[in-house]
Amino acid sequence: MKSFSTTVLFILSMLLIACEENENFQQAASLKVVHAIADAPPMHVNYFNQDINYSNNSPLSFGANERYTLRANETTSIVFVYISDTTREAYTQEVALNAGGISTLFLTGDSANVSGVLLKDQVITNMVDSLFAVRFINLSQDAGPINIHLVRKDEPIASSLIFGGATTYVEFGATAEDGVYTFEFRDSMNNMIASFTLDPLRRRRETVFKNLTLALIGQLDNDSGGNSLSVTQINNF
């Protein structure tokens, strides 16, 4: 009888812990931050606007991204500082995320005028095997409206995508017959200004059955006779 009682207490304890963990999970939200400020140095991210030791904080470089879990259903101020001067706030973004939500904050603009584009990631969760989904976003403030084309297709995937504008997720096949995808980012005159090639079969683990974002970042005119435009991939879910 004692052994039976001990077993029952153990099971009840495990169930209680599981319920508590599930409740905590339901109160959490996921936020991915992307550094796309073309002329800015690496940044430190203070997710709770509290005094922290930045020397223990890994910086976020241009073109890079990181994911963080925040408490849901409450307003949080996220503070960004440049590693060159951690005493001065470069940008502050207030977020209030829903429980279980997945969002992405894109930092863009220039170092003198930082702006944030906060998107709730409406990821596609019912994809069958051998599919993946891509969202496109224009984070280059001087590239103007852009058109996005898939090589070998006449119709554009997106047209006149303005600065800060993003598409919904678009599904693509990931079979040997589908092959490699090359996406061209073109200006309003239909001149290609950047491109990105994606081989879903070669990078199957991070592509197939996944939702990802392709972001145009950098500057069309970098004040030195050239441009720094490129396309970066962000894995969302």
Side-chain angles (χ1 to χ4, degrees):
M1 178 65 71
K2 183 178 180 181
S3 176
F4 176 77
S5 299
T6 302
T7 302
V8 171
L9 287 173
F10 175 77
I11 293 174
L12 289 174
S13 298
M14 292 300 99
L15 289 173
L16 179 60
I17 292 173
C19 289
E20 289 177 349
E21 289 180 346
N22 184 64
E23 182 179 353
N24 290 336
F25 174 77
Q26 292 298 326
Q27 295 302 315
S30 173
L31 179 70
K32 175 160 284 191
V33 175
V34 182
H35 182 346
I37 311 167
D39 65 340
M43 310 180 82
H44 287 299
V45 187
N46 184 342
Y47 285 96
F48 299 100
N49 192 17
Q50 298 175 348
D51 291 336
I52 62 174
N53 186 351
Y54 285 112
S55 63
N56 299 325
N57 186 295
S58 299
L60 186 63
S61 301
F62 172 70
N65 64 84
E66 65 180 22
R67 186 181 298 281
Y68 204 85
T69 300
L70 300 176
R71 188 166 180 82
N73 302 320
E74 62 182 44
T75 301
T76 302
S77 293
I78 304 175
V79 177
F80 300 86
V81 299
Y82 296 126
I83 60 172
S84 54
D85 184 4
T86 59
T87 65
R88 183 174 63 89
E89 295 182 6
Y91 181 69
T92 300
Q93 174 80 40
E94 286 194 349
V95 299
L97 308 178
N98 295 327
I102 304 171
S103 302
T104 304
L105 173 61
F106 300 91
L107 297 179
T108 186
D110 55 55
S111 57
N113 187 26
V114 180
S115 60
V117 179
L118 179 64
L119 296 180
K120 182 178 180 181
D121 296 341
Q122 303 284 0
V123 295
I124 301 174
T125 58
N126 60 346
M127 284 187 292
V128 298
D129 196 13
S130 299
L131 287 176
F132 65 101
V134 183
R135 173 178 63 187
F136 302 87
I137 185 169
N138 179 5
L139 297 178
S140 175
Q141 66 176 352
D142 69 341
I146 61 170
N147 305 314
I148 301 168
H149 288 257
L150 174 62
V151 171
R152 72 178 181 264
K153 296 289 185 180
D154 294 330
E155 293 297 319
I157 299 171
S159 299
S160 301
L161 197 61
I162 63 173
F163 171 59
T167 68
T168 57
Y169 287 98
V170 182
E171 288 188 358
F172 297 95
T175 66
E177 183 178 349
D178 294 308
V180 175
Y181 290 88
T182 298
F183 300 99
E184 293 184 347
F185 292 68
R186 304 178 185 178
D187 63 17
S188 58
M189 302 299 293
N190 212 34
N191 299 310
M192 188 178 72
I193 54 178
S195 66
F196 189 89
T197 298
L198 186 62
D199 187 344
L201 294 183
R202 189 172 182 180
R203 304 176 66 178
R204 189 176 186 87
R205 177 173 294 183
E206 60 185 75
T207 304
V208 178
F209 204 56
K210 298 291 195 303
N211 297 265
L212 54 94
T213 298
L214 294 182
L216 178 68
I217 61 175
Q219 297 174 313
L220 184 63
D221 181 2
N222 63 2
D223 298 324
S224 62
N227 75 66
S228 60
L229 292 176
S230 64
V231 179
T232 187
Q233 176 179 331
I234 300 110
N235 299 324
N236 298 110
F237 182 80

